[in-house]
Amino acid sequence: MGVLRLVLGDQLSPDIAALEGIDAARDVVLMAEVMGECTYVPHHRQKLVLVLSAMRHFAAELRARGLTVDYIRLDDIGNAGTLTGEIARAIARHRPEGVIATFPGEWRVLEAMRTWEDDLALPVEIREDTRFLCPLPRFRRWAQGRRQLRMEFFYREMRRETGLLMDPDGPVGGQWNYDAENRRPFASGLTAPPPRRTRPDAVTQEVIALVEARFPTNFGTLDAFAWPVTAAEAEAALGDFIAARLVRFGDHQDAMASGEPFLFHALVSTSLNLGLLSPRACCEAAEAAYRAGRAPLNAVEGFIRQILGWREYVRGLYWLKMPDYARFNALQATRPLPWSWWGGETRMNCIRQVVRQTRDFAYAHHIQRLMVTGNFALIAGLDPAQVNEWYMAVYADAYEWVELPNTHGMALHADGGIIASKPYAASGAYINRMSDYCRLCAYDVKAATGPDACPMNALYWDFIARHERRFAGNPRMAMPLQILRKMSPEKRAALHAQAAAFLAGPELRPEA
Ligand code: FAD
Ligand code: DLZ
Ligand code: SF4
C-alpha cells in the first residue's frame, strides 16, 4: 500500500490536511475509537456520543467518496485502547510507507505523536491544521516582542487580513468593536426561539446504546441529545441561528434566564471544533445577513469577534504558552471542587441552574461559564487543575486548546494576567443584573453578611482582600481596592468571617 492517513475524532473535515493529495487506490485512512480518548477526562455522555457518532458518519462519507477507511470501533476485539496502539496495529496490518497526520488540538496528543517516528520506525509527517483563520506561525509573529497580548489588537489585524466586515476605508460602521452594545441586562419575559435540534438517526442511536452500556456512571443525561453529527446537519443548525437568533444575539449576549439555556446563542462550537463547520463560513454567513439588512451590526460584529477574534486568539495563545501554561497557579488556589458541580444539592440558584443545564445539554453559554461557575471558582479559590478537568469533561465542545485558555486564563486568572488584564471577579450584583437567578434563590443577593446572605458577596470581598497586594499595581482594580480600603476594620472582619464560614460549610462539601 501507500501511506496511512490518520484522522482524529475532532478532525472531521473533508479538506483536513492529512487527506490532502490522497491516492485513493493505494492509501488507507485510519480512524479509531479508543478508550484512552474516551477516558482521559470523565467526558459528559453527550460529548462521547457526539464525537463517536460524528466519527462514524464521517467515515461513511469518506467511503462514499471512494476512499478506503480502516475504522476501529470501541468494542472491536483487540482494540489497543490508545491512538498510539492503534497506529501500531494498523502499520502491522497494512505495511505502509509512512504515516500522515494533522496537528492535533491538545499538547498531550502532540507529545504522543512525536514519539511515533522513532517507535514505529517509519516516516511520520505531522501537517499543520489549516482549518483556522490564523496559522500558528502567523500568531507567533503577531505575539513576538509584544508586552501584552490583547485580543482586541489581534482581532483588528485578523479583520484587515481576512477582509471580514471591512469596507474599503476601514471597519464596517466605522468602529472595530461593539462590545458595549452586547451587555443588555436581563428583562423579564426574555425568551428566544428554540434552536433547531437534530434528531438522532440510527447511527447515533447505536452509539447512544454503546455509551449507556460502557459509561453508565459518567456525568450527564442523554435524553435531550440533539447535536449535529454531520456537516449537513451543522450547516442547517447554522442557518437556523442566522435566520432566527442572530438578530438579537448582540443585545442579549451576556444575559442569563431560567429555563432558557441557549437564549440567542449560535450553538456552533461543537460543530466548529469537530470540523463539521468552518470558521470562515460562519463569519461569512453572519456578514451576509448584515449586508442583506437581516441583522444589526452589534449582533454580527459580536458574533464575528467571537470566532475570528477570541477563538483564533485562544488557540494561538495555547500553542504559544504550552506546556507551562497548564501549570501556572498565580493565585495559589487549592480548594477542591464542590460536589454541587457534579449535581449535588446547593442553595445557590445560579450554580444549580448552570449545573442542571450542563447535565442535560452538555452546554452553557459563555457568560454562564465565565460569570457563574467561573466566577465562583475564582473567588472561592478552587484548584485550577480540578476546575479545568471539570470544564474539559462537562461541555460537548471541550478540547484543551480552547478550554484551557478560557478556564485557566480568562475565568481563573491562574495565568497571572496573560489573557485578561484583570480578573473577571464579581459579586452577586452582577448575576442579579444579568439574570433572573437571584429572584428565585434561597439566598438574599442584597445581603453580604448574615445567615441568608448571597455567598458571592462575601466571597468577592474576601477575594479582593486576599489578593490586595497583588492587585494594587493593577489600575483596572483601583475601584474595588478603593472601596475595600474605605471599609471599616469591623466590616472587613465580618465579610472575612462570613466567607470563611461559607467555605467551611456544607455548600463546599467535596463529595456526596
Ligand atoms: P456563541 O456565543 O454563539 O459564540 C459563537 C462562537 O464563537 C462559539 O461557537 C465559539 O466557537 C466562539 N467563541 C465564543 N467565545 C469564545 C471564547 N471565549 N473562546 C473561543 N471561542 C469562542 N469554547 C469552546 O469551544 N470549547 C470550550 O471548551 C470552552 N470552554 C470555555 C470555558 C470557560 C470557562 C469559558 C468562559 C468559555 C469557554 N468557551 C469554550 C468559550 C464559549 O463559552 C463557547 O465557545 C460558547 O459558549 C459556545 O456556545 P455557542 O456556540 O452557542 O457560542
Ligand atoms: C474527544 C474524543 C473522544 C471522546 N474519543 C475519540 C476517539 O475515540 N478517537 C479519536 O480519534 N478521537 C477521539 N476524541 C477526540 C480526541 O480526544 C482529540 O482528537 C484530541 O483531544 C485532540 O484534540
Ligand atoms: Fe447566585 Fe447569590 Fe444570586 Fe443566589 S443570590 S442566585 S447565590 S448570585
Side-chain angles (χ1 to χ4, degrees):
M1 75 165 272
V3 176
L4 189 66
R5 293 175 183 261
L6 175 69
V7 174
L8 298 177
D10 56 353
Q11 298 181 340
L12 309 180
S13 317
D15 59 352
I16 191 80
L19 298 182
E20 250 170 58
I22 189 165
D23 180 342
R26 300 181 66 232
D27 296 352
V28 170
V29 179
L30 175 68
M31 295 181 70
E33 298 173 5
V34 290
M35 275 310 261
E37 294 307 303
C38 292
T39 55
Y40 73 93
V41 292
H43 300 287
H44 191 296
R45 296 198 295 163
Q46 289 198 25
K47 183 176 172 193
L48 290 166
V49 171
L50 171 64
V51 177
L52 301 185
S53 176
M55 285 177 72
R56 290 181 185 194
H57 282 91
F58 187 69
E61 283 167 21
L62 293 183
R63 285 185 180 130
R65 273 174 50 197
L67 301 181
T68 304
V69 182
D70 187 357
Y71 191 95
I72 312 302
R73 286 178 172 232
L74 202 62
D75 277 347
D76 283 350
I77 293 166
N79 188 317
T82 61
L83 292 171
T84 302
E86 279 308 320
I87 293 267
R89 289 206 318 143
I91 288 171
R93 269 194 309 279
H94 302 291
R95 308 247 159 244
E97 294 154 10
V99 174
I100 299 181
T102 307
F103 199 82
E106 301 193 354
W107 178 265
R108 71 185 171 89
V109 181
L110 182 65
E111 273 193 311
M113 276 186 176
R114 283 179 173 155
T115 66
W116 290 350
E117 195 154 86
D118 282 349
D119 291 358
L120 306 169
L122 88 178
V124 175
E125 184 188 347
I126 305 173
R127 293 181 173 173
E128 188 184 340
D129 189 342
T130 53
R131 296 174 299 169
F132 291 85
L133 290 157
C134 180
L136 293 177
R138 170 72 189 93
F139 187 86
R140 244 174 262 124
R141 267 204 319 282
W142 173 77
Q144 212 157 34
R146 277 174 198 266
R147 211 168 49 82
Q148 289 192 318
L149 301 177
R150 293 289 162 252
M151 196 289 292
E152 180 61 25
F153 299 113
F154 167 76
Y155 168 56
R156 290 180 192 178
E157 286 198 16
M158 292 304 290
R159 288 273 294 279
R160 282 197 202 92
E161 269 176 39
T162 57
L164 284 163
L165 217 54
M166 293 297 289
D167 281 337
D169 54 346
V172 169
Q175 225 174 285
W176 289 104
N177 185 317
Y178 291 82
D179 193 27
E181 293 173 40
N182 296 151
R183 298 182 195 140
R184 275 211 195 167
F186 173 84
S188 57
L190 188 64
T191 57
R196 178 185 193 281
R197 311 286 286 159
T198 308
R199 202 184 294 269
D201 66 3
V203 174
T204 302
Q205 301 278 9
E206 197 184 348
V207 179
I208 288 177
L210 172 78
V211 168
E212 271 171 347
R214 297 290 299 266
F215 304 93
T217 58
N218 281 41
F219 182 69
T221 58
L222 282 168
D223 311 339
F225 182 91
W227 293 109
V229 293
T230 65
E233 289 170 359
E235 274 154 32
L238 172 67
D240 168 63
F241 163 69
I242 300 282
R245 298 191 305 286
L246 173 62
V247 67
R248 295 179 71 195
F249 173 84
D251 291 346
H252 302 296
Q253 206 174 323
D254 289 1
M256 301 173 279
S258 305
E260 289 281 340
F262 312 115
L263 276 176
F264 298 95
H265 290 271
L267 274 73
V268 288
S269 53
T270 55
S271 301
L272 276 167
N273 298 351
L274 287 175
L276 304 178
L277 274 181
S278 88
R280 184 177 279 279
C282 290
C283 295
E284 285 176 351
E287 179 166 356
Y290 170 71
R291 301 232 182 235
R294 285 185 277 113
L297 190 52
N298 74 327
V300 171
E301 188 281 318
F303 181 68
I304 289 179
R305 184 178 352 113
Q306 305 313 316
I307 294 178
L308 176 65
W310 281 110
R311 185 169 187 271
E312 298 286 331
Y313 166 82
V314 298
R315 175 178 184 252
L317 259 176
Y318 176 81
W319 288 109
L320 190 70
K321 299 290 180 189
M322 281 297 279
D324 296 340
Y325 195 80
R327 293 193 278 267
F328 296 151
N329 187 355
L331 302 181
Q332 292 161 344
T334 53
R335 204 171 294 283
L337 224 58
W339 176 242
S340 58
W341 283 38
W342 294 109
E345 201 30 64
T346 168
R347 292 174 72 211
M348 299 179 73
N349 190 39
C350 50
I351 298 281
R352 190 186 317 121
Q353 293 285 335
V354 174
V355 171
R356 272 195 193 161
Q357 83 169 62
T358 299
R359 177 197 67 194
D360 293 344
F361 302 106
Y363 179 86
H365 68 67
H366 186 69
I367 288 299
Q368 294 175 312
R369 296 187 207 196
L370 184 65
M371 297 310 293
V372 176
T373 40
N375 178 50
F376 181 79
L378 172 71
I379 62 182
L382 303 190
D383 172 11
Q386 292 190 33
V387 178
N388 273 308
E389 183 175 285
W390 184 81
Y391 278 97
M392 275 297 296
V394 303
Y395 291 113
D397 57 17
Y399 301 90
E400 201 180 71
W401 66 266
V402 54
E403 177 278 333
L404 189 75
N406 270 297
T407 307
H408 211 63
M410 206 185 307
L412 301 182
H413 210 68
D415 67 358
I418 294 173
I419 285 200
S421 51
K422 78 176 188 73
Y424 280 94
S427 66
Y430 175 87
I431 294 173
N432 193 31
R433 185 165 68 251
M434 300 312 293
S435 77
D436 61 355
Y437 296 159
C438 303
R439 282 180 225 172
L440 309 164
C441 185
Y443 289 114
D444 177 2
V445 71
K446 304 273 187 227
T449 51
D452 289 330
C454 164
M456 296 284 197
N457 294 336
L459 287 176
Y460 172 77
W461 287 114
D462 198 48
F463 168 77
I464 303 289
R466 241 181 5 255
H467 300 291
E468 192 177 349
R469 284 243 299 274
R470 163 180 271 275
F471 297 153
N474 185 338
R476 297 196 65 202
M477 296 302 283
M479 188 124 85
L481 284 177
Q482 211 177 9
I483 300 173
L484 182 80
R485 284 168 187 162
K486 280 190 185 152
M487 278 180 197
S488 65
E490 295 74 29
K491 185 161 183 194
R492 277 180 76 148
L495 285 167
H496 175 68
Q498 179 85 17
F502 176 79
L503 292 172
E507 289 271 10
L508 264 281
R509 193 174 68 230
E511 286 170 47

